[in-house]
Amino acid sequence: VLPVYSDFLSLISTEMASGHLTRAEALACEGVRHACHVMLYCDAQALLFGTISIRHIVLMQMRFDGLLGFPGGLVNPLEESLEAGLSRELMEEMGMAPPVSEEDHVASCYAPPSSSSSSTPPLITHFYVKKVEEEQIRALEKAGPSTAIDHGLEVLGVVRVPLYSMRDGGGLPSFLSNGFAGNARAQLLDALTRFHLVAPDDLCQALATCTQIHA
Ligand code: GTP
Ligand code: MN
Ligand code: MN
Ligand code: MN
Ligand code: MN
Ligand code: MN
Protein backbone atom coordinates (compact mmCIF):
# COMPACT_ATOMS: atom_id res chain seq x y z
CA VAL A 1 0.00 0.00 0.00
CA LEU A 2 1.46 3.34 -1.05
CA PRO A 3 1.42 6.15 1.49
CA VAL A 4 -0.92 8.95 0.50
CA TYR A 5 0.33 12.43 -0.30
CA SER A 6 -0.41 13.81 3.19
CA ASP A 7 1.68 11.02 4.75
CA PHE A 8 4.53 12.01 2.48
CA LEU A 9 4.27 15.66 3.46
CA SER A 10 4.26 14.81 7.14
CA LEU A 11 7.25 12.52 6.60
CA ILE A 12 9.20 15.32 4.94
CA SER A 13 8.21 17.88 7.55
CA THR A 14 9.07 15.48 10.39
CA GLU A 15 12.50 14.87 8.92
CA MET A 16 13.16 18.55 8.42
CA ALA A 17 11.30 20.05 11.36
CA SER A 18 13.21 17.99 13.90
CA GLY A 19 15.91 20.32 15.16
CA HIS A 20 15.14 23.00 12.62
CA LEU A 21 16.73 26.42 13.29
CA THR A 22 16.93 29.72 11.48
CA ARG A 23 20.40 30.79 10.31
CA ALA A 24 20.53 33.41 13.07
CA GLU A 25 19.39 31.00 15.81
CA ALA A 26 22.00 28.50 14.66
CA LEU A 27 24.80 31.08 14.76
CA ALA A 28 23.79 32.08 18.30
CA CYS A 29 24.35 28.52 19.59
CA GLU A 30 27.45 28.03 21.69
CA GLY A 31 29.55 24.90 21.99
CA VAL A 32 28.46 23.50 18.66
CA ARG A 33 30.20 22.74 15.40
CA HIS A 34 28.89 24.06 12.08
CA ALA A 35 28.93 22.48 8.65
CA CYS A 36 27.72 24.03 5.38
CA HIS A 37 26.73 22.05 2.30
CA VAL A 38 25.15 23.10 -0.99
CA MET A 39 22.98 21.47 -3.62
CA LEU A 40 23.98 22.83 -7.03
CA TYR A 41 21.51 22.24 -9.84
CA CYS A 42 20.42 23.46 -13.25
CA ASP A 43 17.64 23.05 -15.79
CA ALA A 44 18.48 20.70 -18.63
CA GLN A 45 16.87 19.03 -21.61
CA ALA A 46 17.82 15.52 -22.58
CA LEU A 47 16.22 12.14 -23.14
CA LEU A 48 17.54 8.98 -21.51
CA PHE A 49 17.04 6.00 -23.87
CA GLY A 50 15.09 8.40 -26.07
CA THR A 51 12.13 8.26 -23.69
CA ILE A 52 12.93 9.39 -20.15
CA SER A 53 12.95 13.15 -19.87
CA ILE A 54 15.92 14.66 -17.99
CA ARG A 55 14.71 18.08 -16.88
CA HIS A 56 17.27 18.97 -14.22
CA ILE A 57 20.81 18.10 -13.23
CA VAL A 58 21.34 17.82 -9.45
CA LEU A 59 24.86 17.28 -8.09
CA MET A 60 25.96 15.25 -5.08
CA GLN A 61 29.25 13.53 -4.36
CA MET A 62 30.56 10.12 -3.38
CA ARG A 63 32.57 10.67 -0.22
CA PHE A 64 35.66 8.91 1.13
CA ASP A 65 33.43 6.95 3.54
CA GLY A 66 31.31 5.49 0.75
CA LEU A 67 28.36 7.70 1.68
CA LEU A 68 26.65 10.23 -0.57
CA GLY A 69 26.66 13.86 0.49
CA PHE A 70 26.63 17.38 -0.80
CA PRO A 71 29.84 19.36 -1.38
CA GLY A 72 30.79 21.47 1.62
CA GLY A 73 32.16 20.88 5.09
CA LEU A 74 33.00 22.13 8.53
CA VAL A 75 33.08 25.89 9.02
CA ASN A 76 34.26 27.84 12.07
CA PRO A 77 32.07 30.97 12.22
CA LEU A 78 34.64 32.66 14.48
CA GLU A 79 37.17 32.54 11.65
CA GLU A 80 35.04 32.91 8.51
CA SER A 81 31.43 33.53 7.52
CA LEU A 82 29.32 30.47 6.81
CA GLU A 83 29.29 31.32 3.11
CA ALA A 84 33.05 32.01 2.95
CA GLY A 85 33.68 28.66 4.64
CA LEU A 86 31.36 26.94 2.19
CA SER A 87 33.22 28.58 -0.69
CA ARG A 88 36.56 27.34 0.74
CA GLU A 89 35.19 23.80 1.02
CA LEU A 90 33.86 23.94 -2.57
CA MET A 91 37.34 24.94 -3.81
CA GLU A 92 38.91 22.06 -1.86
CA GLU A 93 36.35 19.46 -2.90
CA MET A 94 35.30 20.56 -6.40
CA GLY A 95 38.16 22.79 -7.58
CA MET A 96 35.69 25.59 -8.34
CA ALA A 97 33.31 27.60 -6.19
CA PRO A 98 30.19 29.12 -7.76
CA PRO A 99 29.14 32.08 -5.60
CA VAL A 100 26.74 30.97 -2.85
CA SER A 101 25.23 33.72 -0.72
CA GLU A 102 23.08 34.10 2.37
CA GLU A 103 20.06 34.29 0.05
CA ASP A 104 20.71 30.71 -1.05
CA HIS A 105 20.38 29.43 2.54
CA VAL A 106 17.49 26.97 2.84
CA ALA A 107 17.66 25.40 6.30
CA SER A 108 19.82 24.88 9.36
CA CYS A 109 19.27 22.03 11.77
CA TYR A 110 20.82 19.86 14.45
CA ALA A 111 22.29 16.80 12.79
CA PRO A 112 21.38 13.49 14.38
CA PRO A 113 24.34 12.58 16.64
CA SER A 114 26.43 9.75 15.23
CA SER A 115 27.35 6.84 17.51
CA SER A 116 31.09 7.60 17.37
CA SER A 117 30.76 11.26 18.29
CA SER A 118 29.69 11.14 21.94
CA SER A 119 32.72 13.23 22.93
CA THR A 120 32.52 15.77 20.09
CA PRO A 121 30.22 18.81 20.30
CA PRO A 122 26.86 18.60 18.51
CA LEU A 123 26.80 19.53 14.83
CA ILE A 124 24.54 22.06 13.15
CA THR A 125 24.26 21.62 9.39
CA HIS A 126 23.47 24.58 7.17
CA PHE A 127 21.99 23.75 3.81
CA TYR A 128 22.11 25.92 0.70
CA VAL A 129 20.60 25.41 -2.73
CA LYS A 130 21.99 27.24 -5.74
CA LYS A 131 20.68 27.14 -9.29
CA VAL A 132 23.34 27.66 -11.95
CA GLU A 133 23.64 27.33 -15.72
CA GLU A 134 24.14 23.91 -17.30
CA GLU A 135 27.59 25.00 -18.56
CA GLN A 136 28.60 25.69 -14.95
CA ILE A 137 27.48 22.21 -13.88
CA ARG A 138 29.52 20.66 -16.70
CA ALA A 139 32.55 22.80 -15.79
CA LEU A 140 32.25 21.67 -12.15
CA GLU A 141 32.12 18.03 -13.22
CA LYS A 142 35.37 18.53 -15.16
CA ALA A 143 37.20 20.64 -12.58
CA GLY A 144 37.24 18.08 -9.76
CA PRO A 145 39.69 15.51 -11.17
CA SER A 146 42.09 18.16 -12.50
CA THR A 147 42.09 20.86 -9.82
CA ALA A 148 40.39 19.85 -6.55
CA ILE A 149 42.99 19.12 -3.84
CA ASP A 150 40.57 16.69 -2.18
CA HIS A 151 39.79 14.75 -5.37
CA GLY A 152 40.54 11.09 -4.73
CA LEU A 153 40.89 11.82 -1.01
CA GLU A 154 37.82 13.25 0.78
CA VAL A 155 35.88 13.20 -2.48
CA LEU A 156 35.75 10.21 -4.82
CA GLY A 157 33.65 11.89 -7.47
CA VAL A 158 30.74 14.11 -8.35
CA VAL A 159 27.52 12.28 -9.14
CA ARG A 160 24.23 13.32 -10.70
CA VAL A 161 21.03 12.34 -8.92
CA PRO A 162 18.60 10.36 -11.11
CA LEU A 163 15.29 12.21 -10.72
CA TYR A 164 13.14 9.70 -12.65
CA SER A 165 11.68 6.44 -11.42
CA MET A 166 11.67 3.34 -13.60
CA ARG A 167 9.12 0.54 -13.30
CA ASP A 168 11.67 -1.84 -11.75
CA GLY A 169 12.64 0.62 -9.02
CA GLY A 170 15.64 1.94 -10.94
CA GLY A 171 16.47 5.63 -10.87
CA LEU A 172 15.49 7.71 -7.86
CA PRO A 173 14.22 4.78 -5.73
CA SER A 174 17.56 2.97 -6.12
CA PHE A 175 19.48 6.17 -5.49
CA LEU A 176 17.56 6.83 -2.26
CA SER A 177 18.48 3.30 -1.12
CA ASN A 178 22.14 4.32 -0.83
CA GLY A 179 23.82 5.43 2.38
CA PHE A 180 23.91 9.18 3.03
CA ALA A 181 26.14 11.32 5.27
CA GLY A 182 24.46 13.12 8.16
CA ASN A 183 21.03 14.36 7.13
CA ALA A 184 21.98 14.71 3.46
CA ARG A 185 19.10 12.43 2.43
CA ALA A 186 16.52 14.61 4.18
CA GLN A 187 18.16 17.70 2.65
CA LEU A 188 17.88 16.15 -0.82
CA LEU A 189 14.20 15.27 -0.35
CA ASP A 190 13.47 18.73 0.99
CA ALA A 191 15.20 20.47 -1.93
CA LEU A 192 13.60 18.27 -4.61
CA THR A 193 10.19 19.18 -3.18
CA ARG A 194 10.88 22.83 -2.41
CA PHE A 195 12.31 23.62 -5.85
CA HIS A 196 9.78 21.46 -7.75
CA LEU A 197 12.46 19.22 -9.27
CA VAL A 198 10.38 16.07 -8.75
CA ALA A 199 6.57 16.01 -8.60
CA PRO A 200 5.31 15.24 -5.05
CA ASP A 201 3.43 12.12 -6.25
CA ASP A 202 6.56 10.81 -7.98
CA LEU A 203 8.72 11.48 -4.91
CA CYS A 204 6.13 9.78 -2.72
CA GLN A 205 6.19 6.76 -5.02
CA ALA A 206 10.00 6.70 -5.05
CA LEU A 207 10.10 6.74 -1.23
CA ALA A 208 7.61 3.90 -1.09
CA THR A 209 9.66 1.86 -3.57
CA CYS A 210 13.15 2.47 -2.20
CA THR A 211 14.63 -0.34 -0.17
CA GLN A 212 16.39 1.61 2.55
CA ILE A 213 14.84 1.50 6.00
CA HIS A 214 14.90 4.85 7.80
CA ALA A 215 14.21 5.60 11.42
P1 GTP B 1 37.10 17.45 6.89
O1 GTP B 1 37.82 18.49 6.14
O2 GTP B 1 37.69 16.08 6.77
O3 GTP B 1 36.81 17.83 8.29
O4 GTP B 1 35.63 17.24 6.20
P2 GTP B 1 34.65 18.41 5.80
O5 GTP B 1 35.08 19.67 6.43
O6 GTP B 1 34.51 18.37 4.33
O7 GTP B 1 33.28 17.96 6.50
P3 GTP B 1 32.11 17.06 5.93
O8 GTP B 1 31.68 17.51 4.56
O9 GTP B 1 32.46 15.65 6.09
O10 GTP B 1 30.89 17.47 6.90
C1 GTP B 1 31.04 17.40 8.31
C2 GTP B 1 29.97 16.50 8.87
O11 GTP B 1 28.71 16.81 8.30
C3 GTP B 1 30.23 15.04 8.55
O12 GTP B 1 30.71 14.42 9.69
C4 GTP B 1 28.91 14.46 8.14
O13 GTP B 1 28.33 13.69 9.16
C5 GTP B 1 28.05 15.63 7.90
N1 GTP B 1 27.79 15.72 6.47
C6 GTP B 1 28.58 15.42 5.45
N2 GTP B 1 28.00 15.66 4.27
C7 GTP B 1 26.79 16.12 4.57
C8 GTP B 1 25.70 16.57 3.79
O14 GTP B 1 25.68 16.56 2.57
N3 GTP B 1 24.65 17.02 4.48
C9 GTP B 1 24.62 17.03 5.83
N4 GTP B 1 23.53 17.51 6.43
N5 GTP B 1 25.59 16.62 6.59
C10 GTP B 1 26.67 16.17 5.98
MN1 MN C 1 36.03 19.13 2.96
MN1 MN D 1 32.94 17.83 2.92
MN1 MN E 1 36.98 20.72 6.02
MN1 MN F 1 39.31 18.56 4.73
MN1 MN G 1 10.99 21.85 -12.91
Side-chain angles (χ1 to χ4, degrees):
V1 177
L2 297 177
V4 296
Y5 181 55
S6 60
D7 289 341
F8 163 69
L9 282 183
S10 68
L11 172 68
I12 293 283
S13 56
T14 308
E15 285 195 50
M16 290 313 294
S18 56
H20 187 272
L21 301 161
T22 67
R23 186 180 177 283
E25 285 167 346
L27 282 172
C29 293
E30 285 173 25
V32 298
R33 295 173 305 143
H34 296 266
C36 298
H37 294 93
V38 63
M39 187 183 97
L40 299 164
Y41 79 100
C42 68
D43 290 336
Q45 271 192 319
L47 283 181
L48 171 62
F49 308 132
T51 53
I52 298 173
S53 184
I54 308 290
R55 296 189 181 84
H56 308 280
I57 301 172
V58 171
L59 296 187
M60 291 190 78
Q61 63 185 20
M62 179 54 71
R63 294 158 41 91
F64 68 95
D65 52 12
L67 300 175
L68 292 161
F70 291 101
L74 295 170
V75 172
N76 182 350
L78 300 178
E79 291 172 1
E80 55 190 349
S81 73
L82 292 177
E83 292 76 23
L86 176 58
S87 175
R88 173 184 52 71
E89 285 288 344
L90 293 182
M91 284 303 297
E92 293 171 6
E93 298 185 357
M94 308 193 86
M96 276 176 73
V100 179
S101 74
E102 221 175 299
E103 289 171 18
D104 305 313
H105 176 265
V106 165
S108 296
C109 72
Y110 278 110
S114 76
S115 50
S116 60
S117 68
S118 51
S119 59
T120 53
L123 180 70
I124 293 177
T125 58
H126 305 273
F127 186 51
Y128 297 75
V129 176
K130 174 76 174 182
K131 185 175 185 180
V132 297
E133 296 299 319
E134 184 172 355
E135 296 69 46
Q136 180 108 61
I137 292 289
R138 293 182 181 278
L140 280 161
E141 290 176 320
K142 280 189 194 151
S146 49
T147 55
I149 59 163
D150 275 326
H151 180 80
L153 299 171
E154 279 182 39
V155 181
L156 303 183
V158 171
V159 299
R160 296 185 184 191
V161 179
L163 301 180
Y164 46 83
S165 297
M166 305 177 83
R167 246 174 264 122
D168 63 357
L172 186 56
S174 285
F175 187 85
L176 292 173
S177 304
N178 283 296
F180 290 82
N183 51 15
R185 188 178 186 273
Q187 289 173 333
L188 173 65
L189 295 174
D190 178 44
L192 294 182
T193 308
R194 205 184 277 259
F195 294 91
H196 310 290
L197 304 183
V198 175
D201 286 352
D202 296 344
L203 197 48
C204 175
Q205 184 97 26
L207 281 168
T209 312
C210 86
T211 57
Q212 189 177 334
I213 307 301
H214 286 273

